[in-house]
Amino acid sequence: MLTLKNITFISLLMLAISIEINQAKECKIPENNEDIDWDKVKDDWYMVLHTNDEVMKKDVIGVRLRNISKTNEGMRMVITELHENSPPQTFTIESSKRRDGVYYGKKSEEPAVLASHTLTPDGRTNNKAKKIDDALFDGDNLVLCDEKNYLVYAFCSLSDEWVVWVAFPSLNPTIHQISLMWNKLIEKGIIVQLYPSKTVEHPEFMESLK
């Protein structure tokens, strides 16, 4: 079972790896990636780890993914987000497939969804978080998923840095599941430090939605 102690250890390990590996600073999605059979990706998924970007560290405290399905253009999923500065939001996201493992998001025009990542406690707009959203919806997303252990969204920020959001079938993934995800990121040349979602420490936040 994943514990906060495990996550701290893993984060420190990844930091050490990032120091040891001479990685190019350029954020570039690999050309060759694995296809995903979305019909095999069942049940609910929960965001457990992320790069502590402006969206995740300032507002989003938890994410649940469900009803994932294949479409003619790519894939569709229903997302429920818990926010620090606004009410929970549930919405559907559709992504078009560019090539194996690479998708292009369709931005929702719902005002609540557009603002959900970018609100500050005083109701203003967090422009740094807005830039993360702009990069998410205006560029390509690398999606890594072995269909049962991990589901990773990785994309380049407007400042050319990796943004990585990692979901597992449980808020308490096994060390084996985390290791599989870790190895896949390294294989793709994505060396980042990851941080736990707030719902890992407070699962009752997510459980209250059921």
Side-chain angles (χ1 to χ4, degrees):
M1 177 178 292
L2 183 67
T3 67
L4 292 178
K5 183 177 180 180
N6 295 141
I7 295 175
T8 300
F9 171 77
I10 291 168
S11 296
L12 291 174
L13 174 62
M14 190 51 131
L15 179 60
I17 292 173
S18 68
I19 293 173
E20 292 178 6
I21 295 180
N22 182 21
Q23 180 207 21
K25 292 184 178 180
E26 179 185 10
C27 179
K28 185 178 180 181
I29 293 179
E31 289 296 326
N32 298 317
N33 302 291
E34 298 77 22
D35 195 14
I36 301 169
D37 186 350
W38 293 107
D39 289 335
K40 293 182 179 179
V41 183
K42 304 296 184 183
D43 304 320
D44 294 356
W45 294 72
Y46 301 88
M47 187 180 69
V48 171
L49 299 169
H50 56 76
T51 41
N52 208 35
D53 53 86
E54 197 70 19
V55 167
M56 296 303 168
K57 71 181 180 181
K58 291 293 182 66
D59 187 41
V60 177
I61 63 176
V63 180
R64 181 179 66 195
L65 315 174
R66 62 189 344 177
N67 297 340
I68 299 173
S69 60
K70 182 178 180 180
T71 66
N72 291 333
E73 294 185 356
M75 59 87 67
R76 176 191 299 117
M77 68 172 66
V78 176
I79 299 176
T80 297
E81 292 183 344
L82 297 178
H83 299 281
E84 192 82 48
N85 304 315
S86 60
Q89 300 288 344
T90 297
F91 50 91
T92 300
I93 288 292
E94 295 191 19
S95 299
S96 298
K97 181 179 176 180
R98 294 268 203 210
R99 60 183 188 275
D100 286 355
V102 180
Y103 292 79
Y104 186 88
K106 297 180 180 179
K107 192 168 186 177
S108 171
E109 296 303 321
E110 298 178 40
V113 175
L114 295 177
S116 63
H117 288 173
T118 61
L119 290 180
T120 61
D122 59 4
R124 297 184 180 182
T125 298
N126 179 342
N127 289 320
K128 291 182 179 179
K130 184 178 182 301
K131 288 181 179 180
I132 297 293
D133 268 7
D134 290 343
L136 171 64
F137 289 110
D138 293 339
D140 287 344
N141 299 294
L142 174 64
V143 185
L144 306 172
C145 182
D146 70 349
E147 299 159 2
K148 61 181 180 179
N149 290 297
Y150 60 83
L151 173 57
V152 178
Y153 264 78
F155 58 97
C156 299
S157 71
L158 298 183
S159 56
D160 204 32
E161 297 178 344
W162 280 110
V163 177
V164 179
W165 300 339
V166 185
F168 295 94
S170 165
L171 281 173
N172 294 296
T174 65
I175 295 299
H176 175 66
Q177 289 174 319
I178 295 175
S179 297
L180 290 174
M181 176 276 300
W182 221 255
N183 290 337
K184 181 57 65 174
L185 285 181
I186 294 174
E187 176 188 317
K188 298 300 180 181
I190 303 174
I191 310 301
V192 293
Q193 187 171 4
L194 298 176
Y195 299 81
S197 165
K198 291 182 181 178
T199 48
V200 173
E201 186 176 0
H202 298 284
E204 66 274 11
F205 293 165
M206 192 62 73
E207 291 171 358
S208 66
L209 296 175
K210 295 182 178 181

